[in-house]
Amino acid sequence: MEDFIIGLDIGASLTKIVLVNERLEIIRRMVLPSMDPRETALRALNNLFSTIDSEDRAKVRMTLSTGGRSRFLGNEILGIPIMRVDEIKAIGFGGLTLSGRNNCLVVSAGTGTALVAVYDGGRAIRHVGGTGVGGGTILGLSRRMIGVYDFKVLEEMALRGDPSKVDLTINDIVGGSIGILPANVTASNFGKILGEASAEDVAAGIFNMVSQTIAVVAVMAAKAYNLEDNVVVTGMLAKSRLISRIIRETTDLFSVNVIIPDNCELAGAIGAIAVYLKEKGESDSKI
Ligand SMILES: Nc1ncnc2c1ncn2[C@@H]1O[C@H](COP(=O)(O)OP(=O)(O)OP(=O)(O)O)[C@@H](O)[C@H]1O
Ligand SMILES: [Mg+2]
């Protein structure tokens, strides 16, 4: 009988759960808000099980958990053993698995932003660092500046807005390009906010600031770690059309190649399973 495995990534804001078979093919997936870790884990598993029949339920062997809020979940949930996987490893293997690369810089664009360098199919994994600028920054600033806290509403507003009403460009300062940068590139995020800027323009400025920061941090890390051809952007933020567009526009300026895989928001959850399967394979072959 085929075995099923669950990956559960309890992030700072959102919990991602995925049910896969041993070939890592996705059978079910869900995203829900993160609350108390054990309560969230229970809710995620119950929600998932409500969508499959008892035959498939019986195939589930294991839950692999990861994410900042995945500590203290105990050894089992709903009778299924649960094992915790280090989040850096999970992000690294998630990026590898989803992109099919052998070496890559994985950018986890979530509430905050984490960067993980992975080499040689995961035999070497380094936590490069990151930035506190991320999805939480978008929601926090927009709540205070324009009173909107819903990501989708905000994205729609940002798409209608004009960032040139809030951002100072290179052209605004020098009247043309400078060094490697074309005239339309941002010189100072929010450096020109005008009285006439609408809520939509401010939303566009917030999306610009966060996406450009993530992209520039990724570019610098990719260059320092020799991974310019293989930057894999994951996390829920990468699902946003606007964010991924701005990230690509920014990384293009520096000739860094960005991959945004399908299922990018599931990198942690799928990566946790990939780590488990790899370690299990290695220990099986040692016996
Ligand atoms: N529908 C959506 N599409 C794209 N981005 C979204 C959507 N809904 C929320 N977001 C953004 O995604 C962010 C959360 O991303 P993600 O779930 O990857 O992070 P997390 O795992 O909770 O946090 P971290 O990895 O930092 O612990 C939110 O802060 C929000 O800005
Ligand atoms: Mg996360």
Side-chain angles (χ1 to χ4, degrees):
M1 191 172 73
E2 188 181 35
D3 284 351
F4 285 173
I5 310 173
I6 291 172
L8 176 67
D9 174 9
I10 311 184
S13 318
L14 299 171
T15 291
K16 282 70 66 181
I17 187 165
V18 64
L19 178 71
V20 301
N21 61 21
E22 287 211 333
R23 292 180 302 285
L24 285 176
E25 290 160 347
I26 297 173
I27 291 152
R28 290 285 188 281
R29 57 192 309 151
M30 282 178 184
V31 178
L32 61 158
S34 296
M35 290 168 295
D36 167 76
R38 180 125 184 131
E39 196 185 306
T40 305
L42 265 172
R43 180 174 305 194
L45 263 77
N46 273 320
N47 286 355
L48 186 84
F49 288 151
S50 71
T51 69
I52 59 175
D53 59 29
S54 55
E55 221 169 276
D56 280 346
R57 163 80 173 80
K59 295 177 186 167
V60 179
R61 293 282 161 269
M62 185 75 156
T63 298
L64 284 312
S65 72
T66 193
R69 292 193 204 264
S70 69
R71 283 159 211 260
F72 317 121
L73 289 176
N75 300 323
E76 61 79 35
I77 291 190
L78 299 178
I80 298 165
I82 184 162
M83 249 175 68
R84 185 160 186 270
V85 175
D86 172 75
E87 186 172 12
I88 300 306
K89 268 193 188 173
I91 290 171
F93 271 83
L96 276 188
T97 307
L98 294 178
S99 69
R101 304 279 158 140
N102 206 38
N103 302 291
C104 58
L105 178 76
V106 190
V107 179
S108 174
T111 311
T113 304
L115 283 84
V116 179
V118 193
Y119 299 98
D120 200 11
R123 268 176 277 279
I125 295 191
R126 294 246 193 89
H127 186 191
V128 172
T131 165
V133 175
T137 314
I138 293 185
L139 293 177
L141 287 180
S142 81
R143 169 176 264 181
R144 180 53 69 96
M145 293 175 80
I146 53 180
V148 178
Y149 196 66
D150 179 301
F151 189 89
K152 281 284 169 200
V153 172
L154 194 63
E155 185 180 27
E156 285 304 317
M157 290 175 73
L159 281 165
R160 290 195 303 271
D162 176 3
S164 76
K165 294 273 169 41
V166 302
D167 290 345
L168 197 65
T169 62
I170 301 267
N171 191 51
D172 290 330
I173 307 176
V174 294
S177 62
I178 190 167
I180 62 160
L181 300 175
N184 64 344
V185 160
T186 312
S188 177
N189 295 95
F190 281 94
K192 185 176 89 177
I193 189 156
L194 303 171
E196 71 198 55
S198 66
E200 281 79 7
D201 300 335
V202 171
I206 293 172
F207 269 66
N208 251 1
M209 186 181 73
V210 169
S211 313
Q212 290 170 356
T213 303
I214 293 170
V216 170
V217 169
V219 162
M220 299 303 154
K223 292 196 182 277
Y225 284 75
N226 278 322
L227 292 166
E228 293 102 313
D229 291 332
N230 296 300
V231 174
V232 182
V233 185
T234 66
M236 196 70 184
L237 270 192
K239 286 207 74 90
S240 153
R241 203 159 46 91
L242 179 56
I243 294 205
S244 54
R245 188 182 86 204
I246 303 169
I247 288 179
R248 281 189 198 285
E249 283 168 2
T250 310
T251 51
D252 280 354
L253 291 172
F254 300 92
S255 305
V256 163
N257 182 46
V258 161
I259 303 138
I260 301 182
D262 289 343
N263 308 314
C264 56
E265 79 282 16
L266 299 177
I270 287 181
I273 300 171
V275 170
Y276 166 75
L277 290 177
K278 178 170 180 287
E279 290 177 358
K280 182 169 160 279
E282 281 170 1
S283 64
D284 286 354
S285 64
K286 277 184 206 132
I287 295 167

